[in-house]
């Protein structure tokens, strides 16, 4: 049997989750206060959506923290696969958010609602700063960890949505055309869906213990067969233990009298 694993991510991402959650909880309070003060359904709805961001970050952080727990007799790989579940949860949460944005946009196309453009623009600009800053906390980790990529995409998607709100607010303040806001929302929903689809597919594949996309099983087989002592390779299995670690098992026939 052979097992290989990537180096775990540094502990600084634990601090990144804490900062990101704190910033978004603060933003929920800001949106809720201004939404109530201005009687803006849009801001109150977005405050609810931001709460889903907090939930997504908490899930990703929980998976990241659980992955560091040591193995025991019951969990021989520890809790590393919790990062895969967190990535799957985040992708499903994003897909649900896309559905919510689409539904709300279609409703507003049928019944356009007047908005306080200046207030919406101001709060959305705060959202751009907070969501972009939170996404950047995970920008480096997204390249090596599917769980961190889920957190990154979640916050980047919200930053994009906030940019769309700003653009829509500015356009509406100049033209008075209320349908601009839902149209921009539909475009952003499509962009988020496209970006999330690969995360969803990959996380489902890892849950089903498929070979990670960055590994070519045929090449692994050929590499094992290339050893002169190896005469036969069968029962080759490759799967992800976590979003950063991959395991391999195989039965190797050898020239020598003892097994490898």
């Amino acid at each position: 049997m052979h097992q290989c694993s990537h180096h775990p991510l540094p502990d600084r991402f634990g601090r990144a989750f804490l900062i990101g959650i704190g910033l978004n909880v603060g933003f929920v309070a800001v949106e809720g206060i201004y939404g109530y003060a201005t009687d803006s359904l849009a801001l109150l709805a977005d405050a609810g959506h931001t709460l889903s961001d907090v939930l997504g970050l908490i899930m990703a952080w929980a998976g990241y923290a659980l992955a560091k727990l040591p193995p025991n007799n019951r969990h021989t790989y520890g809790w590393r696969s919790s990062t895969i579940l967190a990535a799957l949860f985040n992708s499903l949460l994003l897909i649900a958010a896309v559905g919510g944005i689409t539904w709300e946009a279609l409703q507003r196309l049928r019944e356009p609602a007047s908005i306080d453009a200046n207030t919406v623009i101001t709060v959305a600009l705060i959202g751009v700063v907070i969501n972009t800053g939170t996404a950047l906390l995970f920008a480096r980790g997204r390249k090596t960890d599917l769980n961190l990529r889920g957190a990154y995409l979640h916050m980047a998607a919200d930053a994009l949505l906030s940019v769309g709100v700003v653009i829509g607010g500015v356009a509406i303040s100049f033209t008075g055309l209320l349908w601009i806001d839902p149209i921009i929302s539909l475009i952003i929903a499509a962009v988020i869906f496209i970006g999330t689809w690969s995360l969803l597919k990959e996380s489902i594949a890892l849950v089903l213990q498929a070979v990670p996309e960055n590994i070519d099983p045929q090449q692994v087989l050929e590499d094992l067969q290339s050893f002169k002592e190896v005469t036969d390779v069968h029962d080759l299995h490759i799967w992800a233990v976590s979003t950063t670690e991959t395991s391999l098992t195989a039965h190797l026939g050898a020239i020598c009298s003892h097994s490898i």
Side-chain angles (χ1 to χ4, degrees):
M1 180 183 74
H2 175 73
Q3 177 173 312
C4 56
S5 65
H6 301 292
H7 295 293
L9 288 168
D11 286 337
R12 69 182 179 85
F13 286 107
R15 187 164 58 253
F17 280 116
L18 184 60
I19 294 171
I21 291 170
L23 287 173
N24 279 271
V25 168
F27 187 46
V28 169
V30 170
E31 283 194 305
I33 291 171
Y34 275 93
Y36 181 78
T38 61
D39 198 26
S40 171
L41 180 60
L43 287 179
L44 290 174
D46 196 55
H49 175 68
T50 304
L51 276 177
S52 76
D53 300 337
V54 175
L55 179 59
L57 286 174
I58 290 174
M59 285 296 298
W61 190 13
Y64 181 81
L66 287 173
K68 297 180 180 299
L69 295 178
N72 55 40
N73 292 336
R74 204 68 167 154
H75 302 90
T76 55
Y77 279 112
W79 293 75
R80 295 169 183 167
S81 60
S82 58
T83 56
I84 299 174
L85 294 177
L88 176 60
F89 181 85
N90 243 324
S91 63
L92 291 174
L93 201 57
L94 275 167
I95 294 295
V98 167
I101 293 169
T102 301
W103 175 259
E104 179 66 19
L106 292 176
Q107 291 294 105
R108 286 181 178 265
L109 274 176
R110 288 194 299 178
E111 298 179 11
S114 60
I115 63 172
D116 182 347
N118 291 332
T119 300
V120 170
I121 291 170
T122 301
V123 176
L125 282 172
I126 297 173
V128 171
V129 174
I130 290 177
N131 291 322
T132 301
T134 306
L136 290 176
L137 292 173
F138 306 104
R140 184 176 179 183
R142 81 186 193 280
K143 299 178 181 178
T144 54
D145 188 332
L146 190 67
N147 183 34
L148 294 182
R149 193 199 309 172
Y152 170 82
L153 283 176
H154 208 137
M155 302 316 303
D158 273 7
L160 183 63
L161 185 60
S162 295
V163 169
V165 172
V166 172
I167 294 173
V170 171
I172 290 172
S173 66
F174 277 100
T175 66
L177 300 175
L178 298 178
W179 55 263
I180 292 176
D181 181 60
I183 289 296
I184 291 177
S185 296
L186 287 174
I187 294 172
I188 292 173
V191 172
I192 295 173
F193 180 80
I194 293 171
T196 304
W197 186 246
S198 62
L199 174 68
L200 178 63
K201 288 196 302 180
E202 192 171 346
S203 57
I204 289 176
L206 294 187
V207 167
L208 297 176
Q209 297 187 325
V211 178
E213 292 185 354
N214 62 328
I215 295 176
D216 181 356
Q218 183 60 36
Q219 185 61 53
V220 172
L221 177 62
E222 293 174 2
D223 288 343
L224 291 173
Q225 291 172 334
S226 67
F227 290 101
K228 62 181 180 180
E229 297 87 357
V230 175
T231 60
D232 179 50
V233 179
H234 60 278
D235 290 334
L236 174 62
H237 299 282
I238 305 170
W239 73 99
V241 177
S242 72
T243 50
T244 60
E245 298 170 292
T246 303
S247 285
L248 176 155
T249 62
H251 288 270
L252 306 181
I255 296 174
C256 53
S257 57
H258 63 276
S259 61
I260 299 178

